[in-house]
Structure formats: structure tokens, C-alpha cells
């Protein structure tokens, strides 16, 4: 988490800055911001389990007074208005799961101070039917339908799909001469979650929205932001954007 923030934003990008982590999840990037010298950290998530996990991580690292954890929704206008303004607003892979992505982007942009930074990651819009190196395939709309269907199923049927996909992936590893056991063991080092959780996260993950790089840029840039850095892909993964709000 620390190295990815430094690499994308710059070594001292968070030093002495107020940091807002929208959809903090486990709290790892809030912790990374703390270790990178942020003056204050505010972590918010709509999910009580994520809030509890972040609170536990905060306690593990000494309960720093400059780190606050809240259960909030970025779609709640009243809550957003009370949060204040921040030097650095961060939301990685979250806003497209709110069910109202463009409103979530609007609300999160409103929290950036002048000369502040806005770092978001949004699923890329893929129209073509392709097979990608991580074994994902198809296009964005196909996965929208799959996720909607998967999340409508009872947990037992979801499990059946989970194990079917696991079996297919292990077969794919084997026929491409990769060690399935090593592949599974190494998964957490580059994805931040274990193999089984990652599969379930991808099969589910609904609501699910997506946008092209151009769509995000054309939406954010006219509202007083300039693009500082970008990581884009032509597949189903996230495009990452670092904007700076003009004074």
C-alpha cells in the first residue's frame, strides 16, 4: 500500500496533508497514509464490518489521535457536507460499487480543497469480447449482468459457482504450465486478498458501474481539476486517476 501510493502520487505527496479514505475497507491505505506522514486521516465506509476492521487496525498501531474512523456513505449529502475539506481525497475501486457512481464522484470531488489531490480508481469500460492475462474475459456489460444475477442467488448457489470457477482456474493454471498451488499461495502478495476472497469479490461486487478514461476525464476536468497521473488498461480492471484541484 505504501509503495503503490508513493509510486503513483510521489514520495512526499501525503506529507503533512489531511487524508480522506472513502470506502476504507480493511484500512490498509489509511494506515499507509499515516506512515507516509499525513497530518490527519479520516476513514469512512458504509459497511459496519469494514469500519470495525479499520478500527481494529488503528488500535493495533497505537490508536493514533490523528486517525478518525466513521461509518458514513459518500451518497449521503448531509454527511458529506459535515465532513469538511481535505488536502487528499482517496477512493480506490469503491465509487463504482455505490449504485450511483456519478453522484459518488460529485460528492467526493466536493471534499477536495483548492490545490488538493483527488485519487480515484474506476472500472474500465470494455466493449469488446476478449480474454485477458488474469483469465477474465468478456466485456463490461456481460459482467454487469453476471454480477446482478450472482447477487440475486441464495448463498448455497453462490458457493456452487465459486467452487466451479476455482476448479476452472486451477485447470487453466495447469494447462498453461503454472503451479496451481504456488499461484494460489502467491495471490495475496499482488492482489491484497486471498485467492478465494478475490474470486468471490469479482463474481459479486454488485452494484457495478464502469467508464472509459475519456468519460472520467471529461466529467472531472471541467469541474476545476487537472490530470496529474493516469494508469489505464483496455480490459476489465481499474483505471487510476490522480487529479489536482485548481486554486
Amino acid at each position: 500500500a505504501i509503495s503503490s501510493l508513493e509510486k503513483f502520487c510521489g514520495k512526499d505527496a501525503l506529507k503533512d496533508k489531511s487524508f480522506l479514505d472513502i470506502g476504507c475497507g480493511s484500512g490498509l491505505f489509511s494506515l499507509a497514509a499515516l506512515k507516509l506522514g499525513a497530518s490527519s486521516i479520516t476513514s469512512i465506509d458504509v459497511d459496519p464490518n469494514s469500519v470495525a476492521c479499520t478500527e481494529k487496525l488503528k488500535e493495533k498501531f497505537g490508536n493514533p489521535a490523528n486517525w478518525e474512523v466513521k461509518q458514513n456513505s459518500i451518497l449521503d449529502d448531509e454527511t458529506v457536507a459535515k465532513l469538511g475539506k481535505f488536502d487528499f481525497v482517496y477512493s480506490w475501486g469503491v465509487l463504482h460499487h455505490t449504485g450511483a457512481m456519478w453522484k459518488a464522484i460529485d460528492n467526493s470531488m466536493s471534499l477536495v480543497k483548492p490545490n488538493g489531490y483527488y485519487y480515484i480508481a474506476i472500472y474500465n469500460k470494455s466493449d469488446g469480447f476478449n480474454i485477458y492475462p488474469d483469465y477474465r474475459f468478456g466485456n463490461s456489460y456481460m459482467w454487469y449482468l453476471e454480477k446482478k444475477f450472482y447477487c440475486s442467488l441464495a448463498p448455497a448457489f453462490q458457493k456452487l459457482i465459486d467452487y466451479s470457477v476455482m476448479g476452472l482456474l486451477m485447470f487453466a493454471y495447469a494447462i498453461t504450465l503454472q503451479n496451481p498451488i504456488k499461484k494460489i499461495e502467491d495471490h495475496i502478495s499482488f492482489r491484497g486478498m486471498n485467492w478465494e476472497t478475490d474470486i468471490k469479490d469479482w463474481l459479486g461486487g454488485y452494484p457495478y458501474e464502469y467508464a472509459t478514461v475519456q468519460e472520467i476525464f471529461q466529467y472531472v476536468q471541467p469541474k476545476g481539476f487537472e490530470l496529474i497521473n493516469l494508469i489505464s488498461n483496455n480490459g476489465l480492471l481499474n483505471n487510476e486517476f490522480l487529479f489536482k484541484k485548481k486554486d
Side-chain angles (χ1 to χ4, degrees), residues 16 36 42 46 91 110 115 123:
D16 299 323
L36 288 170
T42 302
V46 72
S91 189
S110 74
N115 290 316
Y123 277 131

Side-chain angles (χ1 to χ4, degrees), residues 112-146:
V112 184
K113 287 182 179 179
N115 290 316
Y117 292 89
Y118 182 54
Y119 181 0
I120 57 172
I122 301 291
Y123 277 131
N124 182 56
K125 181 180 180 181
S126 172
D127 290 324
F129 192 96
N130 295 299
I131 299 175
Y132 300 102
D134 62 356
Y135 300 101
R136 298 180 200 197
F137 60 91
N139 59 37
S140 299
Y141 185 64
M142 184 199 86
W143 283 102
Y144 164 81
L145 295 175
E146 182 281 331

Side-chain angles (χ1 to χ4, degrees), residues 93-102 121-128 132 136-151 200-212 233-239:
V94 172
L95 306 180
H96 49 229
H97 287 311
T98 59
M101 182 179 75
W102 297 109
I122 301 291
Y123 277 131
N124 182 56
K125 181 180 180 181
S126 172
D127 290 324
Y132 300 102
R136 298 180 200 197
F137 60 91
N139 59 37
S140 299
Y141 185 64
M142 184 199 86
W143 283 102
Y144 164 81
L145 295 175
E146 182 281 331
K147 289 168 185 288
K148 186 176 182 180
F149 173 71
Y150 178 92
C151 290
K200 190 165 190 68
D201 178 68
W202 180 249
L203 291 170
Y206 184 81
Y208 171 73
E209 294 179 76
Y210 39 82
T212 64
N233 75 93
N234 65 351
L236 298 165
L237 301 178
N238 286 281
N239 295 319

Side-chain angles (χ1 to χ4, degrees), residues 42-157:
T42 302
S43 310
I44 68 169
D45 205 297
V46 72
D47 175 36
N49 293 324
S50 294
V51 171
C53 184
T54 301
E55 285 278 16
K56 191 167 184 179
L57 185 69
K58 178 187 169 186
E59 290 170 12
K60 183 178 178 180
F61 284 87
N63 243 336
N66 63 338
W67 185 357
E68 187 177 18
V69 185
K70 300 178 179 180
Q71 185 178 348
N72 286 151
S73 169
I74 193 60
L75 298 180
D76 186 328
D77 295 335
E78 187 176 341
T79 293
V80 169
K82 293 177 181 177
L83 281 171
K85 306 288 184 182
F86 298 84
D87 298 311
F88 203 108
V89 173
Y90 171 88
S91 189
W92 205 102
V94 172
L95 306 180
H96 49 229
H97 287 311
T98 59
M101 182 179 75
W102 297 109
K103 179 178 180 178
I105 290 173
D106 276 331
N107 282 0
S108 54
M109 279 194 295
S110 74
L111 299 168
V112 184
K113 287 182 179 179
N115 290 316
Y117 292 89
Y118 182 54
Y119 181 0
I120 57 172
I122 301 291
Y123 277 131
N124 182 56
K125 181 180 180 181
S126 172
D127 290 324
F129 192 96
N130 295 299
I131 299 175
Y132 300 102
D134 62 356
Y135 300 101
R136 298 180 200 197
F137 60 91
N139 59 37
S140 299
Y141 185 64
M142 184 199 86
W143 283 102
Y144 164 81
L145 295 175
E146 182 281 331
K147 289 168 185 288
K148 186 176 182 180
F149 173 71
Y150 178 92
C151 290
S152 72
L153 297 174
F157 290 106

